[in-house]
Amino acid sequence: MAKHLLVVEGYLKGLVLNLEEKDKYLIGRDPDLVDLILEDSTVSRKHAICFKKNDHIFIKDLSKTNPILINNNPIKKAYQLKEDDKIKIGQNIFAYSEKDIKENYKKEAEDYLSKSEEKEGYDTIFEEKVEEEPAFSNIISQEIILKVISGPNAGAEFGMEKNCSYIIGKDPKSCDIVFNDLSVSKNHAKISLDENNNIFIEDLNSKNGTIIDGEKIKEKRQIFSENIISLGTTSFIVWDQKKETETIYSVPIIKKPKIEELSWKEKPIPKKILVIGTATILTVFITFLTFFSLFKAEKVELKKIDPLNEIQKVLEKFEAVNFSYNPQGNKLFLVGHILTSIDQEQLLYDINKLSFVEEIENNLIIDEFVWKNTNDIINDNPAWRGVSIHSPKAGVFVISGYLKNIDDAENILDYLNSTFPYVDRLENRIIVESILKKEIDSELIIQGLIAISFQINNGEIILAGRYSEDNRSNFEKFLKNLKTKQGVRSIKNLAIETDASAARIDLTKDYTISGFASTDTKKEYVIINDKIFNIGDFLDDMKITDIKDKTIYLEKDGLKYKINYKE
């Protein structure tokens, strides 16, 4: 029997994973960690493991961010695979089989074998076929249609029936209509239809609210086909398929009858008007001659407006915003990132002051909404509550904070790689406390400060212990280097300076001093654990450097020790 996994659905369709040669296979996307590699961004570095037991194949899930499904059900422990079980890993569905591939998929195998000699590399047994879609596909039978006109789900249509209600949001477990939009709440709004197909909408206490034709609603409202409803950055309309489509007729232009008037040459001019007119002309002529020499004629030029230059001046403060201007229809298209909703209001206000812009199509992404919604999801995981995402400037996202270990850091980065929409703009500044601890331990050993201990609390380093007067310069150097380490926010120094003896490691409890020999000036020999030692001898690889009254001094690998005794 040829035990194997075969991709039957997904863009890796036809890929075969052979499970015969080894007793254990790691499956994932990291070529340095796994045996079977899947080139899928939604697959974790180590996603699953297959192993043999009593000639059966078992599979166990290793991914916390995107768990595998067996026949559309999650598994909590190792599962014994059976013939034709369907396993979903990332975006692909595998089928488990113990039959020969040629017998199970005869036609696909013949195509594969006939072409395998011509191809090189990593082939599959399926040839992808492009099927022509029938005309008028995806026809919805329900009378009432919800059509998404902008946002991540633009173009999607959802059918609705009368006497029913529908929850709209981004949570696929609790919503009837799901929008893949970070600015939409988990349960954002509710649409209800009565028996007469009247449509009502109400907001479910969402963060960004429900907006109808630019007005944020506070209570349940009836909506009509001409209304545009906005949830976050997603907009949609709702209409009845069976109602007749309205036609807009142009209003005919009625020409006014032309009234013939007498020419001014034919009209008689009164004498009074002739006298007044003559006097006025003479006065103006004399005034003109009087002041003619005082003024120099200048050429008056009309200032020509350059629309592109004027728009660029407005956008100088918004570096992440790009635009396209159509002078034919005086229409301005805006795309890119903007930091906050207040910045967007200011930008639109400045653009509306440009007289030549008649219409604005706004496709700007408000970074504030993006990172706030992502932080809400991150905070649901207790292990990730020490980190958060923010935007220092428009179009740039930074994730920073402190995590306990490297596994937590890898898990959150795996999650963001598969869910965060702007991962290419995301900068990683996460500090892993276990790595920082190893760096500080190493620095203490280098400086010979073995009696110094420390704790790390969200970037604050608390130092305790003792150091000798001889090690004062080393301790100051250690503090200087510690301040430059990435992830150290502040240092609380509780360590104290003592004499050389107090700063040594005390080994008195480990050894018994039973005697000593001395001259008039100093002690020369000492009996430790029934053996005689002199200065320069080694005790358990520790060199005896000096023998003083009541204390023996030792050194090993740069560390200093002492043994106290009674005379």
Side-chain angles (χ1 to χ4, degrees):
M1 293 186 291
K3 299 179 177 66
H4 61 270
L5 292 174
L6 171 68
V7 180
V8 295
E9 185 176 334
Y11 67 88
L12 295 178
K13 182 178 179 182
L15 175 65
V16 179
L17 302 182
N18 186 6
L19 306 177
E20 281 292 322
E21 296 179 358
K22 298 169 62 177
D23 292 332
K24 182 175 69 173
Y25 291 90
L26 272 173
I27 302 174
R29 76 165 192 268
D30 192 333
D32 297 327
L33 300 177
V34 301
D35 305 298
L36 302 174
I37 304 168
L38 300 180
E39 296 182 355
D40 184 343
S41 61
T42 63
V43 172
S44 300
R45 290 183 174 89
K46 293 191 292 185
H47 202 102
I49 183 171
C50 290
F51 60 91
K52 291 181 182 179
K53 184 178 180 181
N54 298 331
D55 202 32
H56 296 291
I57 298 294
F58 289 79
I59 189 168
K60 184 178 180 181
D61 181 41
L62 300 179
S63 175
K64 295 180 180 179
T65 56
N66 191 13
I68 66 173
L69 300 177
I70 307 292
N71 301 323
N72 290 325
N73 296 312
I75 60 173
K76 295 183 179 179
K77 57 183 180 179
Y79 174 86
Q80 180 182 339
L81 292 174
K82 296 179 286 293
E83 184 69 29
D84 205 33
D85 273 342
K86 298 299 188 295
I87 305 100
K88 184 176 182 182
I89 304 177
Q91 298 179 356
N92 297 276
I93 297 178
F94 293 76
Y96 174 73
S97 178
E98 298 182 357
K99 299 178 181 179
D100 188 75
I101 295 178
K102 295 180 184 179
E103 294 178 2
N104 208 17
Y105 302 94
K106 184 175 181 181
K107 181 179 181 303
E108 290 82 359
E110 290 175 355
D111 293 341
Y112 169 70
L113 293 173
S114 65
K115 295 181 180 181
S116 62
E117 295 181 356
E118 301 175 4
K119 296 183 179 179
E120 294 182 3
Y122 200 53
D123 293 336
T124 66
I125 68 166
F126 289 126
E127 290 292 331
E128 301 246 354
K129 295 182 179 181
V130 180
E131 298 181 358
E132 294 184 359
E133 293 187 0
F136 309 106
S137 60
N138 300 325
I139 295 176
I140 299 176
S141 59
Q142 289 87 344
E143 294 182 23
I144 305 302
I145 302 298
L146 186 153
K147 169 83 172 180
V148 182
I149 59 175
S150 70
N153 295 85
E157 296 183 356
F158 304 89
M160 299 186 293
E161 298 181 351
K162 62 183 179 181
N163 290 326
C164 292
S165 61
Y166 301 85
I167 302 297
I168 305 176
K170 67 183 179 188
D171 188 354
K173 296 180 180 179
S174 59
C175 296
D176 305 295
I177 299 175
V178 180
F179 290 161
N180 297 321
D181 188 341
L182 289 175
S183 61
V184 173
S185 298
K186 291 181 180 179
N187 296 319
H188 198 111
K190 179 181 178 181
I191 287 186
S192 306
L193 287 77
D194 62 16
E195 60 183 5
N196 297 321
N197 275 343
N198 294 317
I199 310 167
F200 300 88
I201 190 168
E202 58 183 306
D203 187 71
L204 300 179
N205 296 321
S206 64
K207 285 192 175 182
N208 295 323
T210 301
I211 299 172
I212 301 178
D213 295 334
E215 180 184 353
K216 193 172 184 178
I217 65 172
K218 298 181 179 179
E219 55 186 16
K220 189 174 182 179
R221 287 267 298 270
Q222 185 175 359
I223 55 176
F224 304 93
S225 59
E226 64 268 17
N227 295 137
I228 297 177
I229 301 93
S230 298
L231 311 183
T233 59
T234 296
S235 299
F236 63 87
I237 58 175
V238 179
W239 83 92
D240 190 338
Q241 287 195 109
K242 293 191 175 181
K243 286 187 179 180
E244 293 185 1
T245 305
E246 296 180 358
T247 305
I248 301 176
Y249 295 94
S250 61
V251 179
I253 300 174
I254 302 175
K255 295 184 179 180
K256 294 182 180 181
K258 187 176 181 181
I259 300 175
E260 294 185 2
E261 297 183 356
L262 293 174
S263 171
W264 65 272
K265 294 180 181 180
E266 298 176 353
K267 291 182 179 180
I269 301 175
K271 292 182 179 180
K272 185 177 180 181
I273 294 176
L274 286 174
V275 173
I276 295 173
T278 302
T280 302
I281 292 171
L282 288 173
T283 303
V284 172
F285 181 72
I286 294 170
T287 303
F288 178 77
L289 291 177
T290 303
F291 292 97
F292 180 81
S293 60
L294 300 177
F295 296 95
K296 190 174 182 180
E298 294 183 0
K299 186 178 180 182
V300 179
E301 295 183 359
L302 294 176
K303 187 177 180 181
K304 187 177 180 181
I305 297 176
D306 183 358
L308 297 181
N309 187 43
E310 295 297 317
I311 296 171
Q312 287 174 347
K313 288 180 181 178
V314 173
L315 297 179
E316 282 180 353
K317 297 181 292 183
F318 307 96
E319 297 178 357
V321 176
N322 296 315
F323 74 94
S324 175
Y325 177 66
N326 181 7
Q328 303 298 327
N330 295 326
K331 186 174 183 179
L332 179 63
F333 301 86
L334 296 175
V335 294
H337 290 256
I338 200 160
L339 200 57
T340 66
S341 57
I342 296 176
D343 289 340
Q344 178 178 250
E345 291 176 3
Q346 180 64 49
L347 172 61
L348 296 178
Y349 174 79
D350 293 341
I351 290 176
N352 284 325
K353 291 194 295 185
L354 301 176
S355 59
F356 53 84
V357 176
E358 296 180 0
E359 184 179 353
I360 302 172
E361 183 170 321
N362 181 10
N363 295 300
L364 295 176
I365 297 163
I366 302 176
D367 293 344
E368 179 185 34
F369 293 159
V370 176
W371 58 258
K372 278 186 176 180
N373 281 283
T374 304
N375 284 339
D376 288 342
I377 299 172
I378 289 176
N379 288 332
D380 289 340
N381 189 326
W384 298 347
R385 288 176 183 170
V387 299
S388 62
I389 297 178
H390 69 282
S391 292
K393 64 178 183 178
V396 177
F397 299 91
V398 175
I399 180 168
S400 59
Y402 295 83
L403 293 175
K404 293 294 183 185
N405 52 62
I406 192 67
D407 289 338
D408 291 338
E410 288 181 352
N411 288 336
I412 194 172
L413 292 177
D414 281 343
Y415 171 76
L416 292 174
N417 282 336
S418 59
T419 61
F420 193 68
Y422 311 107
V423 69
D424 57 319
R425 296 173 176 265
L426 181 63
E427 181 181 347
N428 179 14
R429 295 182 187 173
I430 295 175
I431 302 300
V432 181
E433 290 187 352
S434 61
I435 297 176
L436 181 59
K437 184 178 184 302
K438 291 180 181 178
E439 293 177 355
I440 297 175
D441 281 333
S442 177
E443 186 69 23
L444 286 172
I445 293 172
I446 292 173
Q447 301 300 335
L449 302 169
I450 45 87
I452 299 295
S453 61
F454 67 93
Q455 291 181 346
I456 303 175
N457 185 16
N458 287 332
E460 182 183 40
I461 311 299
I462 304 173
L463 300 174
R466 300 171 182 270
Y467 62 94
S468 67
E469 295 176 354
D470 296 339
N471 274 346
R472 180 188 299 167
S473 60
N474 289 352
F475 184 75
E476 291 175 351
K477 184 177 180 181
F478 166 73
L479 289 178
K480 183 178 180 181
N481 293 341
L482 189 59
K483 291 176 182 178
T484 62
K485 286 192 178 297
Q486 184 179 3
V488 176
R489 293 190 297 106
S490 62
I491 300 173
K492 183 181 289 186
N493 182 17
L494 303 179
I496 58 176
E497 181 180 308
T498 62
D499 57 32
S501 176
R504 291 174 178 263
I505 300 174
D506 192 350
L507 302 178
T508 303
K509 294 182 180 180
D510 299 330
Y511 297 93
T512 302
I513 311 299
S514 57
F516 57 87
S518 63
T519 63
D520 295 336
T521 57
K522 60 181 293 187
K523 290 182 172 61
E524 296 182 355
Y525 299 95
V526 66
I527 301 174
I528 306 174
N529 292 351
D530 299 328
K531 293 183 180 180
I532 299 174
F533 292 89
N534 192 8
I535 296 174
D537 291 341
F538 287 86
L539 171 64
D540 294 339
D541 295 330
M542 295 180 290
K543 183 179 181 180
I544 299 175
T545 59
D546 200 0
I547 301 175
K548 299 287 188 181
D549 292 338
K550 300 181 181 181
T551 306
I552 303 169
Y553 297 106
L554 309 96
E555 287 186 3
K556 177 185 176 181
D557 297 333
L559 302 181
K560 298 182 178 181
Y561 305 89
K562 67 179 180 179
I563 301 174
N564 297 322
Y565 66 94
K566 296 180 180 179
E567 296 187 358

